[in-house]
Amino acid sequence: MRRSLAVVAAALLLTTAACGGGDSGKAKSSAGSGASKSRTATGDTITGVSVSGTFGAEPKLKVSKAVKVTKPETKVISTGTGNPVEANKAAMFDMYVARGRDGQKIFSSSDRGVPTQATMQTTQGNAVSKVLTDALVGKTRGSRVVLAAPATAVFGPSGAPQYKLKATDSVLFVFDLLSVQPKQVLTGPQGAKVKEPAGEPVVQQSGGKVTGLDFSSATKKAPTKLQVIPLVKGTGPAAKPGTLVTFNYYGAVWGSKKAFDSSFTRGAPAAFGIGVHSLIPAWDKAIPGLKRGSRVLIIAPPKDAYGSKAQTNIPANSTLAFVVDVLGVDS
């Protein structure tokens, strides 16, 4: 369950579609398994621009000569060894944005403590502007990428007055590619089944899809502690903090006959970053270490869910129950 996040993005055209509640607390971004935290990227990249600093930490960007480009220009200043970013699939990255004329910082994901997660859509009305998609697709996880682009190519014909970017200005981006959407994704849980314990909600299925949770034999009083109950023990690679994981999931308020959210209903699994404070605490605590092919039942009391903040179809102070299938991990 994704926390609601707003990424500077009204202007940057980046979105982080949510199934979750917001958090302003800062969390250090974690590089994926294909990225070296000790790698240092330094040197001239775009004419007049130098970038230094450690991958996964806020870069140090300097402009010695005002940058003014007429079309997007991309340079890879350090190359990772992970899988490449793919068109129309998700990627997770740290992002630093600055004005081209003086290097003044506009935005940094390090300031909000949560990396950006977005789909590299190539269709009209995309979630990420075409110029950013073109810059990142094909680049490997663990890479640091620098992009210089006309402000009009990113923000539209008026530039971005709110960031003191004129239509004639250029804008600079530094991306640290932390994780990409898993390439190998199962169609369902795969592994040894575990008998569901007594006193817990029973998973209801039809045609291989989770359709509900039966609370009739479960305790009437909602649990007050986080529980992670294995239902299928997967045998694939384990999910790691700081990476994207592909899930199917069904979520319901304790005792409810209806889901407040279900990827099974939408007909497609979703990829979320784990361990980067973009999910509710229950998921960040429960998912790392689970192997691909696993199915678990997660019982999340309010402190590990949304607490006193009501959400759509979720009353304040609700205990939530999730069935989660781990179908793919970025490894």
Side-chain angles (χ1 to χ4, degrees):
M1 289 302 303
R2 192 87 163 261
R3 294 179 182 273
S4 295
L5 296 172
V7 184
V8 155
L12 296 179
L13 305 180
L14 295 171
T15 58
T16 51
C19 53
D23 184 0
S24 59
K26 294 187 178 182
K28 183 176 177 58
S29 299
S30 300
S33 58
S36 171
K37 293 183 180 181
S38 62
R39 179 188 295 109
T40 297
T42 183
D44 291 329
T45 54
I46 308 293
T47 301
V49 179
S50 66
V51 177
S52 62
T54 303
F55 181 94
E58 183 172 283
K60 298 175 182 178
L61 183 149
K62 293 183 179 180
V63 171
S64 58
K65 181 181 179 181
V67 176
K68 189 172 183 180
V69 294
T70 58
K71 61 182 180 179
E73 187 176 339
T74 303
K75 294 288 180 68
V76 177
I77 59 174
S78 65
T79 303
T81 58
N83 291 322
V85 176
E86 295 186 56
N88 299 310
K89 292 190 177 181
M92 182 167 69
F93 46 88
D94 279 334
M95 181 172 66
Y96 183 94
V97 189
R99 289 200 301 258
R101 67 173 181 267
D102 56 11
Q104 182 66 41
K105 180 171 72 172
I106 295 172
F107 170 79
S108 174
S109 55
S110 295
D111 291 337
R112 67 189 182 97
V114 181
T116 298
Q117 300 173 53
T119 300
M120 302 290 110
Q121 292 183 359
T122 57
T123 55
Q124 188 174 7
N126 54 5
V128 182
S129 68
K130 185 177 185 302
V131 64
L132 303 188
T133 298
D134 288 347
L136 297 181
V137 168
K139 309 305 187 295
T140 52
R141 182 190 68 218
S143 296
R144 173 166 280 184
V145 180
V146 179
L147 165 68
T152 53
V154 179
F155 299 101
S158 299
Q162 66 272 42
Y163 302 124
K164 298 182 180 179
L165 280 169
K166 303 174 183 177
T168 55
D169 279 331
S170 295
V171 60
L172 301 171
F173 296 84
V174 181
F175 301 100
D176 283 353
L177 297 178
L178 303 176
S179 187
V180 300
Q181 186 168 329
K183 293 180 69 68
Q184 297 181 347
V185 179
L186 302 175
T187 57
Q190 191 175 97
K193 293 184 178 181
V194 180
K195 185 178 180 180
E196 295 184 39
E200 303 296 345
V202 176
V203 178
Q204 298 174 317
Q205 301 182 74
S206 177
K209 298 181 179 180
V210 174
T211 58
L213 282 170
D214 181 1
F215 289 88
S216 60
S217 60
T219 58
K220 300 301 179 183
K221 186 176 181 180
T224 57
K225 293 184 178 180
L226 175 65
Q227 298 179 45
V228 184
I229 302 166
L231 302 177
V232 176
K233 291 188 175 181
T235 58
K240 297 179 180 180
T243 62
L244 288 168
V245 177
T246 300
F247 309 96
N248 261 328
Y249 62 93
Y250 177 100
V253 174
W254 187 266
S256 175
K257 295 181 180 180
K258 294 182 178 180
F260 59 79
D261 192 13
S262 172
S263 65
F264 292 99
T265 301
R266 290 193 295 274
F272 297 141
I274 60 168
V276 293
H277 294 247
S278 62
L279 302 171
I280 60 171
W283 280 49
D284 271 348
K285 293 176 182 178
I287 302 301
L290 293 179
K291 294 182 176 181
R292 187 179 65 206
S294 296
R295 169 175 285 181
V296 294
L297 177 64
I298 300 175
I299 310 300
K303 66 178 182 179
D304 289 307
Y306 299 105
S308 60
K309 296 180 180 179
Q311 307 290 321
T312 303
N313 297 323
I314 303 175
N317 299 309
S318 290
T319 293
L320 308 179
F322 300 94
V323 182
V324 180
D325 292 347
V326 179
L327 303 179
V329 301
D330 181 23
S331 62

